[in-house]
Amino acid sequence: MITSYHNHTTWSDGATPIAGQIEGARQAGLDELGISDHYVFNPHGVTTWSMPLDKMADYVADVQQAMAQTTSPVIRLGIEADYFPETIDELRRRLALYPFDYVIGSVHYVDGFPIDEHRRFWDALTPEERVEKWRDYWKRIRELAESRVFDFVAHLDLFKKFGHRPTLDLSAEAHAALDAIATADMAIEINTAGWNLPVKEAYPTLNLLRAARERAIPLLINADAHHPKNLTRDFDRARALAREAGYTQLVRYEMRQRFPIPL
Ligand SMILES: [Zn+2]
Ligand SMILES: [Zn+2]
């Protein structure tokens, strides 16, 4: 059984409407296609690549219409929502209004600093400031888990996107975040997009994946596809990585319930 749950459409920064992703999913032989457009409830300003914040109902209705019209693949209603301490309570209220199959939790910003928007933001920092950002990032992931608003965490070590990697050992911070994810009974994903970005490595690293496996944190394999041709990009490679980390199964979701599937 093949699922792909982290995918974008023109509701946020994807290249095609939902129908285009469904067609791509058929061609890729997916059993389940999840749509998970961005919802970035950003207290520091408007994020252009998010769906408009007052359009969650319309987005849900559009995915539900696709679900009703499609027998194969099965369509799942997801959303990729950002964690911000300032807006998490209102986000929780808004998400509770709709029957999501799963909610993906992301940290794309740390106090207004854009983690993955452009390398120039990282280039402009001193080494000390970068360390501070990496620490703050892991703190936000921990808080994301503690909020209990989300089902799984997206691209766990997103900060490496442009090739900037921690210059000192931050495994204590990372492991504290993983402990919080395990305590919250959340899952993580192997996000294959990283292999095609400057870092040329999937999110997360093998070391983090092993640490997640040691904590029995469930796993999904996702492509973060913004185009139908990428819906299962590098999935074979991701399965090999998952096995290397000790995983023997993956999970799928339905109405925010998690079920194991073979790896
Ligand atoms: Zn993301
Ligand atoms: Zn995404």
Side-chain angles (χ1 to χ4, degrees):
M1 168 166 205
I2 307 173
T3 68
S4 180
Y5 274 0
H6 183 159
N7 303 301
H8 300 278
T9 74
T10 44
W11 273 102
S12 60
D13 55 353
T16 69
I18 295 169
Q21 290 288 40
I22 293 174
E23 188 46 42
R26 285 198 187 109
Q27 286 172 18
L30 281 183
D31 296 291
E32 295 194 3
L33 167 70
I35 303 296
S36 63
D37 274 299
H38 289 289
Y39 193 85
V40 188
F41 198 169
N42 186 347
H44 307 286
V46 174
T47 296
T48 53
W49 40 270
S50 171
M51 73 178 76
L53 296 183
D54 60 348
K55 296 289 186 210
M56 195 190 286
D58 302 276
Y59 164 72
V60 168
D62 201 25
V63 178
Q64 285 178 322
Q65 192 184 11
M67 291 165 107
Q69 291 170 349
T70 313
T71 48
S72 176
V74 170
I75 311 296
R76 295 288 177 211
L77 173 61
I79 195 163
E80 181 182 5
D82 272 60
Y83 169 79
F84 295 95
E86 297 90 343
T87 55
I88 188 65
D89 290 328
E90 178 59 19
L91 177 68
R92 183 198 315 273
R93 274 191 289 277
R94 293 184 188 186
L95 291 170
L97 297 173
Y98 307 104
F100 288 105
D101 286 307
Y102 57 90
V103 174
I104 310 178
S106 289
V107 173
H108 296 104
Y109 296 92
V110 170
D111 296 329
F113 179 83
I115 297 292
D116 70 329
E117 223 159 88
H118 199 283
R119 67 168 304 132
R120 70 171 184 274
F121 296 108
W122 286 100
D123 289 341
L125 300 180
T126 65
E128 295 74 23
E129 287 169 335
R130 274 182 214 150
V131 170
E132 201 178 310
K133 291 293 178 242
W134 288 318
R135 281 192 209 283
D136 288 348
Y137 176 87
W138 284 122
K139 182 161 167 275
R140 288 286 179 259
I141 294 287
R142 202 179 73 218
E143 293 171 2
L144 177 162
E146 286 165 355
S147 76
R148 309 287 177 115
V149 167
F150 310 92
D151 297 295
F152 67 88
V153 187
H155 38 61
L156 195 60
D157 52 358
L158 181 65
F159 51 74
K160 71 184 178 187
K161 177 173 176 178
F162 305 109
H164 304 88
R165 289 165 185 279
T167 43
L168 75 175
D169 183 13
L170 291 177
S171 52
E173 285 83 352
H175 289 174
L178 286 172
D179 287 340
I181 290 167
T183 301
D185 194 26
M186 289 174 65
I188 61 167
E189 63 172 10
I190 292 179
N191 184 312
T192 61
W195 271 313
N196 299 280
L197 291 164
V199 64
K200 296 210 179 327
E201 182 180 283
Y203 307 107
T205 62
L206 178 59
N207 276 348
L208 285 171
L209 211 49
R210 284 197 173 118
R213 176 70 196 100
E214 282 164 15
R215 289 163 176 77
I217 295 171
L219 181 71
L220 299 93
I221 292 174
N222 289 322
D224 209 341
H226 291 69
H227 192 284
K229 71 177 193 303
N230 295 333
L231 283 165
T232 56
R233 183 163 62 169
D234 291 326
F235 271 26
D236 287 342
R237 206 173 165 186
R239 278 190 282 268
L241 183 67
R243 287 194 188 100
E244 196 177 346
Y247 279 94
T248 55
Q249 61 180 29
L250 302 173
V251 292
R252 67 175 190 86
Y253 287 87
E254 189 172 343
M255 294 297 288
R256 308 200 68 174
Q257 296 255 82
R258 195 173 67 214
F259 301 92
I261 56 173
L263 171 62

